[in-house]
Amino acid sequence: MMKARRSLIALLLCGSDALSTTAGPPRSLFLAKPTVPAKALVEFFSANGCSVTDVDVHTRFAFAEFATNADANRALALENGPYREAKRAHASINDRNATAAAAWDALCAKLRDVT
């Protein structure tokens, strides 16, 4: 009973948008193993018709945020980019570290048997 109350209170505090299923896919991509700095990533995506609003590059991963969902879809479909793999980042910009850790763990698990 207590969990139901907490859930109801959380929904009320978040407003009616919490139940909305019409939100589109996120405009951010997680990029595993980038081989170039942020400026070169922006140039790569721009040269391929994708409008980038933010790039955050680290040693093992990077995040790229795009102006529209269409730009993110176009970037996701690109092949032979300066990174090992691209996938949607399903967390807000404030939760990037948690998203990166989860995506990195998933990639490592997938590549565990690859030599």
Side-chain angles (χ1 to χ4, degrees), residues 1-111:
M1 183 69 172
M2 189 62 139
K3 284 185 180 180
R5 279 190 193 154
R6 286 183 191 158
S7 298
L8 180 60
I9 290 170
L11 285 173
L12 291 173
L13 290 175
C14 291
S16 62
D17 291 338
L19 297 175
S20 175
T21 58
T22 59
R27 296 177 309 179
S28 296
L29 295 183
F30 169 84
L31 308 170
K33 295 275 194 170
T35 58
V36 296
K39 183 178 178 183
L41 278 174
V42 171
E43 290 170 357
F44 169 76
F45 288 123
S46 296
N48 286 287
C50 306
S51 178
V52 180
T53 59
D54 185 30
V55 174
D56 188 14
V57 177
H58 300 272
T59 309
R60 300 183 306 172
F61 61 89
F63 283 94
E65 190 165 328
F66 298 88
T68 65
N69 289 333
D71 287 331
N73 288 336
R74 198 169 19 259
L76 194 57
L78 292 174
E79 295 181 8
N80 300 324
Y83 44 84
R84 183 155 189 174
E85 183 180 358
K87 62 194 291 185
R88 293 272 183 195
H90 292 283
S92 70
I93 199 167
N94 296 326
D95 295 328
R96 284 183 171 176
N97 289 338
T99 302
W104 183 254
D105 290 343
L107 179 63
C108 288
K110 184 172 137 182
L111 298 175

